């Protein structure tokens, strides 16, 4: 490639993570001169997907106890189990995602992918059932028995056929779900204002008559909150359960969410980057931004990692992809820490992927929420992907476990072990290979523009939530509005190119 030195650009985007890639997609029909660089040698940034060999290289680079986004990375293999080694396929048979987040069917991302005409390059698969699993110390509760492994009821019919709940609990649960479906209406305003600040467990017991743990745990599981039960309020729980309920059935019976095939959100990022390239954007991997100086015309002189200097009217990136001098200082010492394990499992764990309904699809994803019984201990979330996801060979599956617990890897290992022992298989499924690491996201202000340089726009990094939050696309839209100055009506809405058919 010819040298970039002394070239001028309308927009320089640093990093190919999901937020930056979606911005590149949104600008791909803008006729702007765009340079998109990434200091990594691969696409996806914090949302990348790796084959086994690539994951091992990544783990080695992120193995230290550092202040960077990823740390304490380690590959674990069963060194004394020859059968496990034999079952593990070649490296390229796997595509393991750093960001396996599920996408609710009501997410604004999905219509944006359709209106930007990129959806045909993506394949989404259903996330079917939700489950709860109890760690060994959480076998029972004084206010109700919690089964060691159970499917979360997905509707009224499931609730009344659930033999772990008595009739009173079923009626109370139905009452609560009816409230959730209309909590933000004028009819429910008075009750919602009265309870939204209360601890969730307390409100479920006092305001809705849910006394049994067997009724409360599934609701917290549907909310997908990372906070400990005693630190979770109704203001956090109810909107998230409502999101789940309102998304159910939109694309088909029995499921509320989807996952991109072949490597989680990395696949969305790569498709968005391809659209940026088709629109004329120039892409360079292995070259990041190391310095920025503001010029007299308020554009930026940007120094790249190889010493080349380019100019741009706008510079956009997430904090990790911009020089430290541009990062907000007010909250630089605060961070949100998540511990993660990615496991390749020797069994397909078919019990996790039942058909979504009698005539429904067989899902490629499932969610398991593991609790310890300690109300001060955050839950463990396990996203399971079957081989239909394209992330592992047939006969295996991938588990993505995460927690905000200070117990870290120990807590995750216990949850995964408890889940694997809960299956009625002759041999307990084995972990054939695993990648464990910690992820820390600095807590930045909600405003994305840089105060020191008005032509620098900072996108917040993708949160570590189990489900993709709406804030991601909202940030991209704010950046797009600053650059384009156009109305929101034009955001991510592209007419067909010549030769393409207009969709009805």
């Amino acid at each position: 490639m010819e040298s970039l030195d002394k070239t001028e650009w309308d927009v320089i985007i640093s990093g190919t993570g999901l937020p930056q890639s979606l911005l590149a997609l949104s600008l791909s029909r803008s006729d702007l001169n765009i340079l998109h660089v990434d200091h990594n040698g691969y696409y996806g940034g914090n949302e990348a997907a790796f084959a086994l060999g690539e994951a091992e290289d990544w783990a080695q680079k992120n193995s230290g106890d550092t202040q960077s986004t990823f740390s304490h990375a380690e590959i674990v293999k069963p060194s004394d189990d020859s059968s496990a080694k034999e079952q593990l396929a070649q490296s390229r048979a796997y595509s393991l995602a750093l960001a396996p987040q599920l996408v609710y069917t009501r997410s604004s991302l999905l219509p944006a992918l359709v209106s930007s005409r990129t959806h045909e390059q993506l394949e989404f698969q259903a996330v079917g059932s939700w489950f709860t699993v109890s760690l060994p110390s959480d076998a029972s509760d004084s206010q109700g028995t919690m089964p060691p492994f159970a499917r979360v009821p997905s509707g009224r019919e499931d609730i009344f056929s659930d033999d772990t709940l008595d009739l009173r609990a079923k009626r109370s649960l139905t009452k609560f779900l009816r409230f959730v479906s209309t909590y933000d209406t004028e009819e429910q305003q008075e009750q919602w204002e009265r309870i939204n600040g209360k601890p969730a467990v307390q409100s479920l017991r006092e305001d809705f008559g849910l006394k049994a743990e067997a009724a409360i745990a599934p609701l917290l599981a549907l909310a997908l909150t990372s906070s400990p039960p005693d630190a979770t309020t109704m203001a956090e729980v109810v909107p998230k359960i409502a999101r789940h309920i309102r998304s159910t059935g939109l694309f088909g019976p029995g499921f509320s969410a989807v996952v991109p095939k072949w490597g989680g959100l990395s696949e969305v990022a790569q498709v968005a980057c391809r659209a940026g390239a088709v629109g004329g954007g120039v892409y360079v991997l292995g070259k990041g931004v190391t310095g920025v100086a503001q010029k007299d015309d308020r554009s930026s002189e940007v120094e790249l990692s190889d010493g080349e200097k380019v100019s741009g009217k706008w510079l956009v990136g997430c904090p990790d992809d911009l020089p430290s001098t541009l990062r907000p200082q007010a909250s630089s010492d605060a961070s949100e820490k998540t511990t993660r394990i990615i496991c390749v499992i020797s069994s397909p764990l078919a019990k996790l992927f039942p058909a979504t309904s009698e005539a429904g699809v067989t899902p490629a994803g499932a969610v398991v929420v593991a609790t310890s019984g300690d109300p001060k201990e955050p839950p463990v979330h396990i996203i399971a992907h079957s081989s239909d996801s394209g992330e592992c060979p047939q006969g295996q599956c991938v588990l993505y476990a995460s927690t905000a617990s200070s117990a870290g890897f120990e807590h995750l290992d216990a949850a995964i072990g408890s889940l694997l022992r809960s299956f009625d298989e002759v041999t307990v499924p084995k972990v054939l290979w695993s990648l464990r690491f910690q992820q820390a996201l600095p807590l930045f202000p909600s405003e994305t523009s840089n105060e020191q340089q008005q032509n620098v726009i900072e996108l917040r990094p993708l949160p570590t939530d189990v489900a993709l939050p709406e804030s991601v696309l909202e940030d991209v839209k704010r950046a797009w509005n600053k650059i384009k100055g156009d109305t929101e009506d034009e955001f991510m809405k592209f007419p067909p190119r010549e030769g393409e058919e207009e969709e009805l």
Side-chain angles (χ1 to χ4, degrees):
M1 177 180 174
E2 295 182 4
S3 172
L4 294 173
D5 199 36
K6 295 182 174 58
T7 55
E8 296 184 356
W9 307 85
D10 292 313
V11 184
I12 300 171
I13 302 176
S14 181
T16 56
L18 183 66
Q20 299 101 309
S21 300
L22 290 175
L23 178 63
L25 169 60
S26 72
L27 295 171
S28 62
R29 302 281 188 99
S30 63
D31 295 323
L32 295 176
N33 192 19
I34 297 174
L35 172 64
H36 200 163
V37 300
D38 195 321
H39 68 274
N40 296 305
Y42 51 83
Y43 286 94
N46 293 354
E47 291 77 63
F50 300 125
L52 296 189
E54 294 167 335
E56 291 175 7
D57 291 340
W58 181 89
Q60 187 173 7
K61 293 176 182 177
N62 293 277
S63 61
D65 181 6
T66 65
Q67 299 301 313
S68 61
T69 298
F70 298 105
S71 63
H72 300 88
E74 179 187 11
I75 302 294
V76 178
K77 302 177 183 178
S79 57
D80 59 343
D81 191 334
S82 58
S83 65
K85 294 179 182 179
E86 293 172 359
Q87 291 180 68
L88 201 63
Q90 61 178 339
S91 174
R92 288 289 171 187
Y94 301 88
S95 180
L96 306 177
L98 293 180
Q101 280 97 325
L102 57 89
V103 181
Y104 274 102
T105 60
R106 293 284 181 185
S107 169
S108 59
L109 174 66
L110 299 180
L113 294 175
V114 173
S115 64
S116 64
R117 314 190 70 80
T118 51
H119 64 291
E120 291 184 354
Q121 301 174 51
L122 292 160
E123 184 175 346
F124 287 92
Q125 297 174 304
V127 178
S129 300
W130 260 240
F131 300 89
T132 57
V133 65
S134 301
L135 300 181
S137 60
D138 187 23
S140 63
D141 183 89
S142 59
Q143 300 193 48
T145 299
M146 184 67 195
F149 178 81
R151 183 170 176 266
V152 175
S154 60
R156 190 173 184 275
E157 184 177 340
D158 283 348
I159 291 172
F160 279 91
S161 62
D162 190 336
D163 57 13
T164 67
L165 301 172
D166 60 29
L167 185 58
R168 181 178 177 181
K170 293 176 180 179
R171 288 173 175 168
S172 296
L173 192 53
T174 302
K175 173 186 174 183
F176 173 71
L177 294 179
R178 191 181 302 119
F179 165 77
V180 168
S181 64
T182 58
Y183 83 95
D184 51 359
T185 64
E186 184 176 351
E187 176 188 358
Q188 302 289 2
Q189 182 178 358
E190 181 178 347
Q191 184 178 8
W192 177 233
E193 290 179 351
R194 178 172 56 83
I195 69 171
N196 64 29
K198 295 179 69 172
V201 174
Q202 177 187 347
S203 181
L204 290 170
R205 287 174 173 164
E206 294 178 357
D207 301 310
F208 296 95
L210 288 164
K211 306 297 183 181
E213 179 67 16
I216 293 175
L219 295 175
L220 297 182
L222 288 182
L224 296 177
T225 60
S226 59
S227 305
D230 69 350
T232 304
T233 66
M234 292 295 271
E236 182 180 7
V237 167
V238 171
K240 291 183 176 181
I241 297 177
R243 173 183 61 178
H244 182 96
I245 293 173
R246 293 168 182 176
S247 296
T248 301
L250 182 64
F251 292 164
F255 69 94
S256 62
V258 293
V259 289
K261 190 174 181 179
W262 307 116
L265 295 176
S266 170
E267 190 67 11
V268 179
Q270 293 197 55
V271 166
C273 287
R274 286 200 292 271
V278 170
V282 173
Y283 280 77
V284 183
L285 298 180
K287 188 177 293 191
V289 174
T290 57
V292 180
Q294 191 161 20
K295 300 170 70 174
D296 292 340
D297 61 359
R298 298 181 68 182
S299 65
S300 292
E301 182 180 69
V302 176
E303 183 174 355
L304 302 177
S305 53
D306 62 355
E308 293 180 329
K309 292 184 178 180
V310 297
S311 297
K313 295 177 183 177
W314 293 96
L315 172 63
V316 189
C318 289
D320 277 355
D321 297 295
L322 296 174
S324 59
T325 54
L326 294 178
R327 299 174 192 171
Q329 298 300 311
S331 56
S332 60
D333 294 332
S335 64
E336 180 181 275
K337 296 183 179 179
T338 303
T339 305
R340 298 182 177 276
I341 295 181
I342 302 173
C343 294
V344 177
I345 306 300
S346 63
S347 163
L349 301 184
K351 187 177 178 180
L352 293 178
F353 309 102
T356 56
S357 67
E358 186 174 340
V361 300
T362 299
V367 177
V368 182
V369 180
T371 56
S372 67
D374 183 350
K376 297 185 182 300
E377 189 68 47
V380 171
H381 293 109
I382 302 174
I383 302 178
H385 287 182
S386 74
S387 60
D388 289 342
S389 68
E391 296 172 16
C392 65
Q394 287 189 353
Q396 299 177 10
C397 71
V398 181
L399 301 182
Y400 297 95
S402 63
T403 186
S405 170
S406 58
F409 298 128
E410 180 181 351
H411 206 49
L412 294 178
D413 286 333
I416 294 168
S418 185
L419 173 62
L420 296 182
R421 288 190 299 272
S422 70
F423 288 90
D424 299 326
E425 299 191 15
V426 176
T427 303
V428 175
K430 299 176 182 177
V431 176
L432 302 178
W433 180 100
S434 68
L435 165 63
R436 52 186 64 208
F437 58 93
Q438 291 184 351
Q439 183 175 2
L441 292 183
L443 301 179
F444 293 101
S446 58
E447 178 56 48
T448 57
S449 64
N450 185 276
E451 294 180 358
Q452 297 176 346
Q453 294 183 236
Q454 294 182 358
N455 62 324
V456 175
I457 302 175
E458 286 174 333
L459 297 169
R460 286 175 292 182
L462 185 75
T464 57
D465 301 34
V466 178
L468 181 73
E470 291 294 285
S471 61
V472 176
L473 200 62
E474 291 168 0
D475 274 359
V476 172
K477 183 184 290 186
R478 280 195 290 267
W480 182 85
N481 278 326
K482 287 179 181 294
I483 295 168
K484 288 285 291 173
D486 291 337
T487 64
E488 292 189 2
D489 291 342
E490 299 178 20
F491 177 69
M492 290 281 203
K493 294 181 179 178
F494 302 155
R497 297 183 188 274
E498 186 176 351
E500 288 182 337
E501 295 183 2
E502 181 69 75
E503 294 183 356
L504 299 178

